Tab-separated table of all heavy atoms in Angstrom:
chain	number	residue	atom	x	y	z
A	261	TYR	N	133.527	92.847	194.377
A	261	TYR	CA	133.623	94.118	193.668
A	261	TYR	C	132.247	94.707	193.349
A	261	TYR	O	132.146	95.744	192.700
A	261	TYR	CB	134.378	93.941	192.345
A	261	TYR	CG	135.699	93.224	192.467
A	261	TYR	CD1	136.007	92.173	191.623
A	261	TYR	CD2	136.632	93.604	193.415
A	261	TYR	CE1	137.223	91.507	191.722
A	261	TYR	CE2	137.845	92.942	193.530
A	261	TYR	CZ	138.138	91.890	192.684
A	261	TYR	OH	139.332	91.239	192.791
A	262	THR	N	131.165	94.030	193.787
A	262	THR	CA	129.810	94.418	193.397
A	262	THR	C	129.067	95.059	194.569
A	262	THR	O	129.148	94.579	195.707
A	262	THR	CB	129.015	93.187	192.914
A	262	THR	OG1	129.740	92.532	191.882
A	262	THR	CG2	127.648	93.600	192.387
A	263	SER	N	128.331	96.130	194.284
A	263	SER	CA	127.448	96.726	195.284
A	263	SER	C	126.083	96.952	194.653
A	263	SER	O	125.975	97.192	193.443
A	263	SER	CB	128.017	98.046	195.807
A	263	SER	OG	128.108	98.998	194.768
A	264	ILE	N	125.025	96.854	195.471
A	264	ILE	CA	123.647	96.987	194.976
A	264	ILE	C	122.918	98.064	195.772
A	264	ILE	O	122.985	98.099	197.003
A	264	ILE	CB	122.883	95.650	195.092
A	264	ILE	CG1	123.472	94.618	194.120
A	264	ILE	CG2	121.399	95.849	194.803
A	264	ILE	CD1	122.750	93.293	194.134
A	265	THR	N	122.210	98.918	195.053
A	265	THR	CA	121.334	99.912	195.667
A	265	THR	C	119.907	99.656	195.181
A	265	THR	O	119.682	99.489	193.965
A	265	THR	CB	121.765	101.341	195.298
A	265	THR	OG1	123.122	101.543	195.712
A	265	THR	CG2	120.865	102.371	195.960
A	266	ILE	N	118.979	99.622	196.110
A	266	ILE	CA	117.582	99.383	195.751
A	266	ILE	C	117.030	100.616	195.045
A	266	ILE	O	117.314	101.760	195.431
A	266	ILE	CB	116.734	99.066	197.011
A	266	ILE	CG1	117.355	97.899	197.778
A	266	ILE	CG2	115.291	98.742	196.623
A	266	ILE	CD1	117.498	96.637	196.966
A	267	GLY	N	116.238	100.389	194.004
A	267	GLY	CA	115.656	101.493	193.253
A	267	GLY	C	114.496	102.127	194.005
A	267	GLY	O	114.548	102.308	195.218
A	268	ASP	N	113.420	102.435	193.306
A	268	ASP	CA	112.300	103.137	193.937
A	268	ASP	C	111.170	102.200	194.337
A	268	ASP	O	110.047	102.639	194.625
A	268	ASP	CB	111.770	104.243	193.022
A	268	ASP	CG	111.379	103.695	191.649
A	268	ASP	OD1	111.369	102.453	191.472
A	268	ASP	OD2	111.100	104.519	190.757
A	269	THR	N	111.449	100.894	194.379
A	269	THR	CA	110.419	99.917	194.732
A	269	THR	C	110.870	99.090	195.932
A	269	THR	O	111.999	98.578	195.957
A	269	THR	CB	110.135	98.959	193.552
A	269	THR	OG1	109.765	99.727	192.404
A	269	THR	CG2	109.026	97.982	193.902
A	270	GLU	N	110.008	98.977	196.946
A	270	GLU	CA	110.326	98.137	198.097
A	270	GLU	C	110.340	96.670	197.684
A	270	GLU	O	109.525	96.221	196.874
A	270	GLU	CB	109.290	98.355	199.209
A	270	GLU	CG	109.566	97.519	200.455
A	270	GLU	CD	108.468	97.664	201.496
A	270	GLU	OE1	107.373	98.180	201.150
A	270	GLU	OE2	108.695	97.259	202.654
A	271	ILE	N	111.304	95.903	198.234
A	271	ILE	CA	111.388	94.474	197.947
A	271	ILE	C	111.195	93.731	199.262
A	271	ILE	O	111.948	93.922	200.226
A	271	ILE	CB	112.743	94.111	197.314
A	271	ILE	CG1	112.947	94.891	196.006
A	271	ILE	CG2	112.835	92.616	197.058
A	271	ILE	CD1	114.307	94.701	195.377
A	272	LYS	N	110.165	92.896	199.312
A	272	LYS	CA	109.818	92.179	200.531
A	272	LYS	C	110.761	90.996	200.768
A	272	LYS	O	111.406	90.481	199.842
A	272	LYS	CB	108.377	91.675	200.453
A	272	LYS	CG	107.333	92.786	200.422
A	272	LYS	CD	107.286	93.515	201.749
A	272	LYS	CE	106.144	94.530	201.799
A	272	LYS	NZ	106.103	95.237	203.104
A	273	LYS	N	110.830	90.572	202.009
A	273	LYS	CA	111.642	89.420	202.391
A	273	LYS	C	111.281	88.203	201.549
A	273	LYS	O	110.101	87.950	201.274
A	273	LYS	CB	111.438	89.122	203.875
A	273	LYS	CG	112.281	87.960	204.395
A	273	LYS	CD	112.047	87.729	205.881
A	273	LYS	CE	112.879	86.552	206.382
A	273	LYS	NZ	112.667	86.316	207.835
A	274	ASN	N	112.292	87.489	201.124
A	274	ASN	CA	112.187	86.262	200.314
A	274	ASN	C	111.810	86.508	198.863
A	274	ASN	O	111.702	85.563	198.074
A	274	ASN	CB	111.212	85.243	200.916
A	274	ASN	CG	111.719	84.637	202.209
A	274	ASN	OD1	112.926	84.628	202.450
A	274	ASN	ND2	110.808	84.146	203.037
A	275	GLN	N	111.618	87.789	198.489
A	275	GLN	CA	111.280	88.094	197.109
A	275	GLN	C	112.566	88.216	196.265
A	275	GLN	O	113.629	88.599	196.767
A	275	GLN	CB	110.492	89.400	197.026
A	275	GLN	CG	109.094	89.297	197.601
A	275	GLN	CD	108.259	88.260	196.859
A	275	GLN	OE1	108.101	88.322	195.648
A	275	GLN	NE2	107.740	87.287	197.611
A	276	PRO	N	112.472	87.898	194.980
A	276	PRO	CA	113.648	88.044	194.101
A	276	PRO	C	113.986	89.508	193.846
A	276	PRO	O	113.087	90.372	193.861
A	276	PRO	CB	113.227	87.346	192.813
A	276	PRO	CG	111.744	87.381	192.810
A	276	PRO	CD	111.312	87.331	194.249
A	277	LEU	N	115.259	89.771	193.634
A	277	LEU	CA	115.705	91.096	193.197
A	277	LEU	C	115.788	91.071	191.682
A	277	LEU	O	116.577	90.297	191.105
A	277	LEU	CB	117.082	91.440	193.782
A	277	LEU	CG	117.122	92.058	195.186
A	277	LEU	CD1	116.624	91.056	196.240
A	277	LEU	CD2	118.542	92.515	195.510
A	278	TYR	N	114.960	91.856	191.010
A	278	TYR	CA	114.959	91.913	189.556
A	278	TYR	C	115.900	93.018	189.073
A	278	TYR	O	116.131	94.019	189.763
A	278	TYR	CB	113.542	92.140	189.036
A	278	TYR	CG	112.631	90.950	189.233
A	278	TYR	CD1	111.668	90.955	190.241
A	278	TYR	CD2	112.745	89.824	188.414
A	278	TYR	CE1	110.831	89.866	190.421
A	278	TYR	CE2	111.904	88.728	188.598
A	278	TYR	CZ	110.961	88.748	189.612
A	278	TYR	OH	110.148	87.665	189.792
A	279	LEU	N	116.415	92.840	187.895
A	279	LEU	CA	117.382	93.777	187.339
A	279	LEU	C	116.818	95.191	187.230
A	279	LEU	O	117.542	96.171	187.407
A	279	LEU	CB	117.854	93.291	185.964
A	279	LEU	CG	118.722	92.021	185.969
A	279	LEU	CD1	118.908	91.492	184.552
A	279	LEU	CD2	120.096	92.317	186.594
A	280	ASN	N	115.512	95.302	186.950
A	280	ASN	CA	114.911	96.632	186.797
A	280	ASN	C	114.527	97.270	188.123
A	280	ASN	O	113.980	98.366	188.166
A	280	ASN	CB	113.692	96.565	185.871
A	280	ASN	CG	112.577	95.681	186.415
A	280	ASN	OD1	112.722	95.060	187.462
A	280	ASN	ND2	111.476	95.630	185.695
A	281	GLN	N	114.815	96.573	189.240
A	281	GLN	CA	114.484	97.107	190.556
A	281	GLN	C	115.697	97.646	191.304
A	281	GLN	O	115.558	98.252	192.363
A	281	GLN	CB	113.844	96.014	191.432
A	281	GLN	CG	112.493	95.530	190.943
A	281	GLN	CD	111.977	94.416	191.833
A	281	GLN	OE1	112.712	93.505	192.198
A	281	GLN	NE2	110.699	94.504	192.201
A	282	VAL	N	116.883	97.403	190.779
A	282	VAL	CA	118.101	97.741	191.521
A	282	VAL	C	119.105	98.448	190.613
A	282	VAL	O	118.994	98.402	189.383
A	282	VAL	CB	118.764	96.465	192.111
A	282	VAL	CG1	117.833	95.774	193.086
A	282	VAL	CG2	119.190	95.515	190.995
A	283	VAL	N	120.062	99.098	191.250
A	283	VAL	CA	121.205	99.677	190.550
A	283	VAL	C	122.434	98.895	190.994
A	283	VAL	O	122.739	98.847	192.199
A	283	VAL	CB	121.366	101.178	190.872
A	283	VAL	CG1	122.627	101.717	190.184
A	283	VAL	CG2	120.129	101.952	190.442
A	284	ILE	N	123.106	98.274	190.046
A	284	ILE	CA	124.270	97.435	190.363
A	284	ILE	C	125.537	98.164	189.950
A	284	ILE	O	125.643	98.647	188.819
A	284	ILE	CB	124.190	96.078	189.632
A	284	ILE	CG1	122.930	95.329	190.054
A	284	ILE	CG2	125.434	95.239	189.924
A	284	ILE	CD1	122.737	94.017	189.308
A	285	ARG	N	126.466	98.238	190.882
A	285	ARG	CA	127.788	98.767	190.546
A	285	ARG	C	128.784	97.613	190.626
A	285	ARG	O	128.930	96.980	191.672
A	285	ARG	CB	128.207	99.879	191.502
A	285	ARG	CG	129.650	100.324	191.238
A	285	ARG	CD	130.031	101.540	192.023
A	285	ARG	NE	131.448	101.831	191.871
A	285	ARG	CZ	132.042	102.926	192.311
A	285	ARG	NH1	131.327	103.849	192.926
A	285	ARG	NH2	133.332	103.106	192.136
A	286	ASP	N	129.439	97.347	189.518
A	286	ASP	CA	130.405	96.249	189.436
A	286	ASP	C	131.769	96.834	189.075
A	286	ASP	O	131.951	97.364	187.974
A	286	ASP	CB	129.966	95.228	188.385
A	286	ASP	CG	130.832	93.973	188.383
A	286	ASP	OD1	131.868	93.972	189.074
A	286	ASP	OD2	130.471	93.006	187.692
A	287	ASP	N	132.718	96.753	190.009
A	287	ASP	CA	134.052	97.313	189.796
A	287	ASP	C	135.032	96.300	189.204
A	287	ASP	O	136.231	96.581	189.128
A	287	ASP	CB	134.614	97.844	191.118
A	287	ASP	CG	133.923	99.127	191.563
A	287	ASP	OD1	133.617	99.954	190.684
A	287	ASP	OD2	133.688	99.291	192.771
A	288	THR	N	134.549	95.145	188.790
A	288	THR	CA	135.444	94.109	188.261
A	288	THR	C	136.260	94.626	187.083
A	288	THR	O	137.487	94.444	187.030
A	288	THR	CB	134.632	92.871	187.826
A	288	THR	OG1	133.858	92.405	188.924
A	288	THR	CG2	135.556	91.772	187.342
A	289	ASP	N	135.568	95.259	186.130
A	289	ASP	CA	136.288	95.760	184.953
A	289	ASP	C	137.335	96.796	185.343
A	289	ASP	O	138.425	96.830	184.759
A	289	ASP	CB	135.302	96.362	183.944
A	289	ASP	CG	134.451	95.304	183.264
A	289	ASP	OD1	134.836	94.117	183.313
A	289	ASP	OD2	133.407	95.665	182.688
A	290	HIS	N	137.000	97.643	186.343
A	290	HIS	CA	137.946	98.664	186.796
A	290	HIS	C	139.183	98.007	187.415
A	290	HIS	O	140.314	98.431	187.169
A	290	HIS	CB	137.276	99.592	187.804
A	290	HIS	CG	138.088	100.813	188.094
A	290	HIS	ND1	137.687	101.775	188.988
A	290	HIS	CD2	139.281	101.245	187.610
A	290	HIS	CE1	138.597	102.737	189.042
A	290	HIS	NE2	139.575	102.432	188.219
A	291	ILE	N	138.960	96.968	188.219
A	291	ILE	CA	140.091	96.250	188.830
A	291	ILE	C	141.025	95.707	187.754
A	291	ILE	O	142.250	95.872	187.824
A	291	ILE	CB	139.582	95.090	189.711
A	291	ILE	CG1	139.006	95.641	191.017
A	291	ILE	CG2	140.695	94.091	190.002
A	291	ILE	CD1	140.040	96.169	191.984
A	292	TRP	N	140.463	95.091	186.736
A	292	TRP	CA	141.318	94.484	185.702
A	292	TRP	C	141.920	95.539	184.777
A	292	TRP	O	142.989	95.324	184.202
A	292	TRP	CB	140.531	93.427	184.920
A	292	TRP	CG	140.312	92.223	185.784
A	292	TRP	CD1	139.150	91.819	186.349
A	292	TRP	CD2	141.308	91.317	186.249
A	292	TRP	NE1	139.335	90.716	187.124
A	292	TRP	CE2	140.656	90.379	187.076
A	292	TRP	CE3	142.685	91.200	186.050
A	292	TRP	CZ2	141.342	89.336	187.702
A	292	TRP	CZ3	143.365	90.163	186.672
A	292	TRP	CH2	142.701	89.249	187.483
A	293	GLU	N	141.282	96.679	184.677
A	293	GLU	CA	141.899	97.795	183.960
A	293	GLU	C	143.132	98.286	184.731
A	293	GLU	O	144.179	98.582	184.139
A	293	GLU	CB	140.886	98.930	183.793
A	293	GLU	CG	141.420	100.118	183.006
A	293	GLU	CD	140.407	101.237	182.885
A	293	GLU	OE1	139.221	101.008	183.198
A	293	GLU	OE2	140.801	102.345	182.484
A	294	ILE	N	143.011	98.343	186.053
A	294	ILE	CA	144.153	98.708	186.894
A	294	ILE	C	145.281	97.702	186.721
A	294	ILE	O	146.445	98.063	186.541
A	294	ILE	CB	143.717	98.781	188.375
A	294	ILE	CG1	142.838	100.015	188.608
A	294	ILE	CG2	144.939	98.800	189.308
A	294	ILE	CD1	142.180	100.048	189.975
A	295	VAL	N	144.926	96.421	186.761
A	295	VAL	CA	145.937	95.368	186.595
A	295	VAL	C	146.643	95.524	185.259
A	295	VAL	O	147.869	95.369	185.156
A	295	VAL	CB	145.293	93.972	186.730
A	295	VAL	CG1	146.277	92.879	186.336
A	295	VAL	CG2	144.807	93.747	188.154
A	296	HIS	N	145.882	95.842	184.217
A	296	HIS	CA	146.484	96.015	182.892
A	296	HIS	C	147.517	97.147	182.913
A	296	HIS	O	148.633	96.987	182.412
A	296	HIS	CB	145.399	96.326	181.863
A	296	HIS	CG	145.931	96.614	180.496
A	296	HIS	ND1	146.190	95.621	179.579
A	296	HIS	CD2	146.274	97.782	179.890
A	296	HIS	CE1	146.670	96.161	178.471
A	296	HIS	NE2	146.726	97.471	178.634
A	297	HIS	N	147.163	98.283	183.507
A	297	HIS	CA	148.091	99.415	183.560
A	297	HIS	C	149.330	99.072	184.377
A	297	HIS	O	150.457	99.425	184.009
A	297	HIS	CB	147.399	100.636	184.154
A	297	HIS	CG	146.332	101.217	183.280
A	297	HIS	ND1	146.472	101.346	181.912
A	297	HIS	CD2	145.091	101.701	183.578
A	297	HIS	CE1	145.377	101.892	181.407
A	297	HIS	NE2	144.522	102.104	182.387
């Protein structure tokens, strides 16, 4: 349910992805909201 978009900084091979470098979309909560309804 998760997708990642790189922010405005290039990330080299083997380098870590830091939270402040990416935009994370997580649809998990939306899925379980659907299940609830």
Side-chain angles (χ1 to χ4, degrees):
Y261 310 131
T262 306
S263 63
I264 292 182
T265 302
I266 305 302
D268 55 9
T269 304
E270 181 185 15
I271 301 174
K272 294 292 186 180
K273 182 179 179 180
N274 291 337
Q275 290 299 305
L277 275 66
Y278 290 104
L279 291 169
N280 62 357
Q281 294 177 316
V282 299
V283 177
I284 300 176
R285 174 172 173 172
D286 188 351
D287 288 322
T288 304
D289 289 342
H290 192 181
I291 285 288
W292 288 108
E293 182 181 347
I294 288 171
V295 171
H296 176 86
H297 291 319

